[in-house]
Short mmCIF file of all heavy atoms in Angstrom, two decimals:
data_model
loop_
_atom_site.label_atom_id
_atom_site.label_comp_id
_atom_site.label_asym_id
_atom_site.label_seq_id
_atom_site.Cartn_x
_atom_site.Cartn_y
_atom_site.Cartn_z
N ASP E 28 7.59 28.23 20.76
CA ASP E 28 7.82 28.86 19.45
C ASP E 28 7.96 27.82 18.36
O ASP E 28 8.39 28.12 17.22
CB ASP E 28 9.01 29.74 19.45
CG ASP E 28 10.27 29.09 19.87
OD1 ASP E 28 10.26 27.89 20.18
OD2 ASP E 28 11.37 29.73 19.82
N GLY E 29 7.48 26.56 18.59
CA GLY E 29 7.40 25.58 17.53
C GLY E 29 8.60 24.72 17.32
O GLY E 29 8.58 23.94 16.36
N ARG E 30 9.62 24.74 18.12
CA ARG E 30 10.75 23.88 17.97
C ARG E 30 10.40 22.49 18.57
O ARG E 30 9.75 22.41 19.56
CB ARG E 30 12.00 24.41 18.67
CG ARG E 30 12.61 25.62 17.98
CD ARG E 30 13.71 26.21 18.84
NE ARG E 30 13.20 26.83 20.02
CZ ARG E 30 13.82 26.90 21.23
NH1 ARG E 30 15.06 26.40 21.30
NH2 ARG E 30 13.29 27.50 22.22
N THR E 31 10.80 21.47 17.87
CA THR E 31 10.50 20.07 18.31
C THR E 31 11.65 19.23 18.67
O THR E 31 12.77 19.44 18.15
CB THR E 31 9.66 19.37 17.15
OG1 THR E 31 10.42 19.43 15.95
CG2 THR E 31 8.31 20.00 16.97
N PHE E 32 11.38 18.30 19.53
CA PHE E 32 12.40 17.35 19.99
C PHE E 32 11.75 15.97 20.05
O PHE E 32 10.67 15.83 20.49
CB PHE E 32 12.93 17.76 21.41
CG PHE E 32 13.52 19.17 21.43
CD1 PHE E 32 12.66 20.19 21.67
CD2 PHE E 32 14.85 19.34 21.25
CE1 PHE E 32 13.16 21.51 21.71
CE2 PHE E 32 15.37 20.65 21.29
CZ PHE E 32 14.54 21.71 21.51
N TYR E 33 12.46 14.97 19.57
CA TYR E 33 11.89 13.61 19.48
C TYR E 33 12.86 12.60 20.06
O TYR E 33 14.08 12.71 20.02
CB TYR E 33 11.64 13.26 17.98
CG TYR E 33 10.75 14.21 17.27
CD1 TYR E 33 11.27 15.21 16.46
CD2 TYR E 33 9.39 14.08 17.34
CE1 TYR E 33 10.44 16.05 15.79
CE2 TYR E 33 8.53 14.88 16.66
CZ TYR E 33 9.08 15.90 15.89
OH TYR E 33 8.23 16.77 15.18
N GLU E 34 12.22 11.54 20.67
CA GLU E 34 12.98 10.38 20.98
C GLU E 34 13.40 9.61 19.72
O GLU E 34 12.80 9.81 18.68
CB GLU E 34 12.15 9.46 21.91
CG GLU E 34 11.84 10.07 23.26
CD GLU E 34 13.07 10.33 24.05
OE1 GLU E 34 13.88 9.40 24.25
OE2 GLU E 34 13.27 11.53 24.50
N ASP E 35 14.43 8.80 19.84
CA ASP E 35 14.99 8.16 18.70
C ASP E 35 13.96 7.35 17.85
O ASP E 35 13.98 7.38 16.63
CB ASP E 35 16.12 7.28 19.09
CG ASP E 35 17.37 8.06 19.46
OD1 ASP E 35 17.43 9.26 19.09
OD2 ASP E 35 18.29 7.46 20.05
N PHE E 36 13.09 6.67 18.53
CA PHE E 36 12.16 5.80 17.78
C PHE E 36 11.18 6.64 16.93
O PHE E 36 10.58 6.07 15.99
CB PHE E 36 11.37 4.90 18.76
CG PHE E 36 10.32 5.65 19.58
CD1 PHE E 36 9.07 5.85 19.07
CD2 PHE E 36 10.56 6.06 20.85
CE1 PHE E 36 8.08 6.49 19.79
CE2 PHE E 36 9.64 6.72 21.58
CZ PHE E 36 8.36 6.96 21.07
N ALA E 37 11.01 7.94 17.26
CA ALA E 37 10.09 8.75 16.54
C ALA E 37 10.72 9.57 15.43
O ALA E 37 9.99 10.02 14.56
CB ALA E 37 9.35 9.69 17.50
N LYS E 38 12.00 9.71 15.51
CA LYS E 38 12.70 10.53 14.51
C LYS E 38 12.52 10.02 13.09
O LYS E 38 12.76 8.84 12.83
CB LYS E 38 14.20 10.63 14.87
CG LYS E 38 14.47 11.44 16.13
CD LYS E 38 16.00 11.43 16.42
CE LYS E 38 16.26 12.22 17.70
NZ LYS E 38 17.70 12.17 18.03
N GLY E 39 12.19 10.92 12.17
CA GLY E 39 11.98 10.52 10.80
C GLY E 39 10.62 9.95 10.46
O GLY E 39 10.28 9.82 9.27
N ARG E 40 9.87 9.59 11.46
CA ARG E 40 8.49 9.03 11.25
C ARG E 40 7.43 9.90 11.82
O ARG E 40 6.31 9.98 11.24
CB ARG E 40 8.40 7.62 11.87
CG ARG E 40 9.36 6.60 11.26
CD ARG E 40 8.95 5.18 11.66
NE ARG E 40 9.01 5.05 13.11
CZ ARG E 40 8.02 4.51 13.87
NH1 ARG E 40 6.87 4.13 13.28
NH2 ARG E 40 8.19 4.35 15.17
N PHE E 41 7.63 10.50 12.94
CA PHE E 41 6.56 11.28 13.66
C PHE E 41 6.90 12.75 13.61
O PHE E 41 8.10 13.17 13.63
CB PHE E 41 6.52 10.91 15.13
CG PHE E 41 6.04 9.47 15.38
CD1 PHE E 41 5.72 8.60 14.32
CD2 PHE E 41 5.91 9.05 16.66
CE1 PHE E 41 5.29 7.32 14.57
CE2 PHE E 41 5.45 7.71 16.92
CZ PHE E 41 5.16 6.88 15.89
N THR E 42 5.87 13.60 13.55
CA THR E 42 6.02 15.04 13.51
C THR E 42 5.00 15.69 14.47
O THR E 42 3.87 15.44 14.37
CB THR E 42 5.83 15.61 12.08
OG1 THR E 42 6.77 15.06 11.21
CG2 THR E 42 6.10 17.11 12.11
N ILE E 43 5.50 16.50 15.36
CA ILE E 43 4.64 17.29 16.24
C ILE E 43 4.52 18.70 15.78
O ILE E 43 5.47 19.33 15.31
CB ILE E 43 5.22 17.26 17.69
CG1 ILE E 43 5.32 15.85 18.22
CG2 ILE E 43 4.37 18.13 18.63
CD1 ILE E 43 6.06 15.74 19.55
N SER E 44 3.28 19.24 15.80
CA SER E 44 3.10 20.61 15.42
C SER E 44 2.03 21.21 16.37
O SER E 44 1.35 20.49 17.13
CB SER E 44 2.55 20.71 13.97
OG SER E 44 1.38 19.99 13.80
N ARG E 45 1.90 22.52 16.34
CA ARG E 45 0.91 23.18 17.15
C ARG E 45 0.30 24.38 16.49
O ARG E 45 0.90 24.95 15.56
CB ARG E 45 1.49 23.64 18.52
CG ARG E 45 2.52 24.72 18.44
CD ARG E 45 3.23 24.96 19.77
NE ARG E 45 2.31 25.40 20.79
CZ ARG E 45 2.53 25.36 22.10
NH1 ARG E 45 3.70 24.82 22.54
NH2 ARG E 45 1.67 25.79 22.97
N ASP E 46 -0.93 24.68 16.82
CA ASP E 46 -1.68 25.82 16.30
C ASP E 46 -2.12 26.61 17.51
O ASP E 46 -3.14 26.25 18.18
CB ASP E 46 -2.83 25.39 15.45
CG ASP E 46 -3.54 26.52 14.76
OD1 ASP E 46 -3.54 27.67 15.30
OD2 ASP E 46 -4.15 26.30 13.69
N ASN E 47 -1.42 27.65 17.86
CA ASN E 47 -1.74 28.37 19.09
C ASN E 47 -3.08 29.12 18.96
O ASN E 47 -3.78 29.27 20.05
CB ASN E 47 -0.66 29.39 19.40
CG ASN E 47 0.64 28.74 19.91
OD1 ASN E 47 0.59 27.62 20.41
ND2 ASN E 47 1.75 29.44 19.75
N ALA E 48 -3.45 29.56 17.86
CA ALA E 48 -4.74 30.19 17.70
C ALA E 48 -5.90 29.21 18.00
O ALA E 48 -6.91 29.67 18.50
CB ALA E 48 -4.88 30.78 16.28
N LYS E 49 -5.71 28.00 17.62
CA LYS E 49 -6.76 26.99 17.83
C LYS E 49 -6.59 26.22 19.16
O LYS E 49 -7.38 25.45 19.55
CB LYS E 49 -6.84 25.99 16.75
CG LYS E 49 -7.18 26.59 15.39
CD LYS E 49 -7.27 25.49 14.33
CE LYS E 49 -7.64 26.06 12.97
NZ LYS E 49 -7.67 24.99 11.90
N LYS E 50 -5.49 26.51 19.86
CA LYS E 50 -5.13 25.78 21.09
C LYS E 50 -5.09 24.26 20.88
O LYS E 50 -5.69 23.52 21.62
CB LYS E 50 -6.09 26.16 22.23
CG LYS E 50 -6.09 27.65 22.60
CD LYS E 50 -7.05 27.94 23.74
CE LYS E 50 -7.01 29.39 24.12
NZ LYS E 50 -7.97 29.68 25.20
N MET E 51 -4.35 23.91 19.83
CA MET E 51 -4.29 22.52 19.42
C MET E 51 -2.82 22.11 19.21
O MET E 51 -2.00 22.90 18.81
CB MET E 51 -5.04 22.25 18.07
CG MET E 51 -6.55 22.54 18.19
SD MET E 51 -7.43 21.19 19.03
CE MET E 51 -7.24 19.89 17.83
N VAL E 52 -2.56 20.85 19.49
CA VAL E 52 -1.29 20.25 19.18
C VAL E 52 -1.54 18.94 18.48
O VAL E 52 -2.51 18.22 18.82
CB VAL E 52 -0.42 20.04 20.46
CG1 VAL E 52 -1.05 19.15 21.46
CG2 VAL E 52 1.01 19.55 20.10
N TYR E 53 -0.64 18.60 17.54
CA TYR E 53 -0.87 17.40 16.70
C TYR E 53 0.30 16.49 16.70
O TYR E 53 1.45 16.95 16.92
CB TYR E 53 -1.18 17.85 15.26
CG TYR E 53 -2.28 18.89 15.14
CD1 TYR E 53 -2.00 20.22 15.03
CD2 TYR E 53 -3.57 18.47 15.11
CE1 TYR E 53 -2.99 21.14 14.90
CE2 TYR E 53 -4.65 19.43 14.98
CZ TYR E 53 -4.31 20.76 14.89
OH TYR E 53 -5.34 21.64 14.77
N LEU E 54 0.04 15.22 16.44
CA LEU E 54 1.09 14.25 16.29
C LEU E 54 0.81 13.47 14.98
O LEU E 54 -0.08 12.72 14.93
CB LEU E 54 1.15 13.25 17.44
CG LEU E 54 2.18 12.13 17.36
CD1 LEU E 54 3.58 12.67 17.26
CD2 LEU E 54 2.03 11.18 18.47
N GLN E 55 1.61 13.79 13.96
CA GLN E 55 1.47 13.07 12.67
C GLN E 55 2.39 11.84 12.72
O GLN E 55 3.62 12.00 12.94
CB GLN E 55 1.89 13.99 11.50
CG GLN E 55 1.87 13.33 10.13
CD GLN E 55 0.46 12.96 9.69
OE1 GLN E 55 -0.42 13.74 9.81
NE2 GLN E 55 0.30 11.74 9.18
N MET E 56 1.85 10.68 12.52
CA MET E 56 2.59 9.43 12.57
C MET E 56 2.54 8.74 11.21
O MET E 56 1.49 8.42 10.70
CB MET E 56 2.01 8.51 13.65
CG MET E 56 2.00 9.12 15.05
SD MET E 56 1.41 8.00 16.31
CE MET E 56 -0.32 7.79 15.80
N ASN E 57 3.74 8.54 10.68
CA ASN E 57 3.87 7.87 9.38
C ASN E 57 4.67 6.57 9.53
O ASN E 57 5.37 6.38 10.56
CB ASN E 57 4.54 8.76 8.39
CG ASN E 57 3.77 10.02 8.11
OD1 ASN E 57 2.56 10.04 8.10
ND2 ASN E 57 4.50 11.14 7.88
N SER E 58 4.63 5.73 8.53
CA SER E 58 5.42 4.48 8.52
C SER E 58 5.22 3.71 9.81
O SER E 58 6.16 3.21 10.42
CB SER E 58 6.89 4.78 8.31
OG SER E 58 7.09 5.44 7.06
N LEU E 59 3.97 3.57 10.23
CA LEU E 59 3.62 2.88 11.48
C LEU E 59 3.96 1.39 11.46
O LEU E 59 3.86 0.75 10.44
CB LEU E 59 2.19 3.14 11.83
CG LEU E 59 1.84 4.56 12.27
CD1 LEU E 59 0.34 4.79 12.18
CD2 LEU E 59 2.35 4.78 13.69
N VAL E 60 4.40 0.88 12.62
CA VAL E 60 4.72 -0.49 12.77
C VAL E 60 3.95 -1.04 13.95
O VAL E 60 3.50 -0.27 14.80
CB VAL E 60 6.28 -0.68 12.97
CG1 VAL E 60 7.05 -0.28 11.71
CG2 VAL E 60 6.79 0.10 14.17
N PRO E 61 3.79 -2.32 14.06
CA PRO E 61 3.04 -2.90 15.21
C PRO E 61 3.52 -2.45 16.55
O PRO E 61 2.75 -2.35 17.52
CB PRO E 61 3.19 -4.41 14.98
CG PRO E 61 3.33 -4.56 13.49
CD PRO E 61 4.16 -3.39 13.08
N GLU E 62 4.79 -2.24 16.69
CA GLU E 62 5.37 -1.77 17.95
C GLU E 62 4.88 -0.38 18.40
O GLU E 62 5.06 -0.03 19.53
CB GLU E 62 6.90 -1.76 17.89
CG GLU E 62 7.57 -3.19 17.81
CD GLU E 62 7.40 -3.85 16.46
OE1 GLU E 62 7.16 -3.12 15.45
OE2 GLU E 62 7.46 -5.07 16.41
N ASP E 63 4.27 0.33 17.51
CA ASP E 63 3.68 1.62 17.84
C ASP E 63 2.31 1.47 18.54
O ASP E 63 1.74 2.52 18.93
CB ASP E 63 3.58 2.53 16.60
CG ASP E 63 4.85 2.88 15.98
OD1 ASP E 63 5.81 3.18 16.72
OD2 ASP E 63 4.96 2.88 14.72
N THR E 64 1.82 0.26 18.59
CA THR E 64 0.55 0.03 19.20
C THR E 64 0.51 0.29 20.68
O THR E 64 1.27 -0.36 21.45
CB THR E 64 0.08 -1.42 18.96
OG1 THR E 64 -0.07 -1.64 17.53
CG2 THR E 64 -1.26 -1.69 19.65
N THR E 65 -0.25 1.32 21.12
CA THR E 65 -0.39 1.67 22.49
C THR E 65 -1.30 2.85 22.58
O THR E 65 -1.85 3.37 21.63
CB THR E 65 1.02 2.00 23.12
OG1 THR E 65 0.92 2.15 24.51
CG2 THR E 65 1.58 3.27 22.49
N LYS E 66 -1.44 3.34 23.83
CA LYS E 66 -2.22 4.54 24.06
C LYS E 66 -1.31 5.76 24.05
O LYS E 66 -0.22 5.71 24.61
CB LYS E 66 -2.91 4.46 25.45
CG LYS E 66 -3.82 5.64 25.77
CD LYS E 66 -4.60 5.37 27.03
CE LYS E 66 -3.72 5.31 28.30
NZ LYS E 66 -4.50 5.15 29.52
N TYR E 67 -1.72 6.79 23.37
CA TYR E 67 -0.95 8.02 23.22
C TYR E 67 -1.61 9.13 24.03
O TYR E 67 -2.84 9.39 23.91
CB TYR E 67 -0.83 8.43 21.75
CG TYR E 67 0.13 7.55 21.02
CD1 TYR E 67 -0.25 6.24 20.63
CD2 TYR E 67 1.43 7.93 20.73
CE1 TYR E 67 0.63 5.37 20.00
CE2 TYR E 67 2.29 7.12 20.04
CZ TYR E 67 1.92 5.83 19.66
OH TYR E 67 2.80 5.03 19.04
#
């Protein structure tokens, strides 16, 4: 039903959302730092 939970490193910077009609989920990432470099 769209409630989100985040690990500490993601709080305030990352946002997860979903569109059930499109069968899609998204991860919006802001204020990125080099430590975010990896495979998602």
Side-chain angles (χ1 to χ4, degrees):
D28 58 355
R30 289 173 291 149
T31 53
F32 303 87
Y33 303 97
E34 293 299 305
D35 286 343
F36 73 85
K38 292 179 180 177
R40 297 193 300 131
F41 294 1
T42 302
I43 299 172
S44 60
R45 68 189 295 162
D46 186 332
N47 287 338
K49 296 180 178 179
K50 298 181 180 180
M51 298 284 290
V52 61
Y53 307 96
L54 176 62
Q55 177 68 46
M56 303 185 293
N57 300 324
S58 302
L59 287 162
V60 295
E62 291 73 22
D63 295 320
T64 296
T65 189
K66 183 171 66 176
Y67 286 75

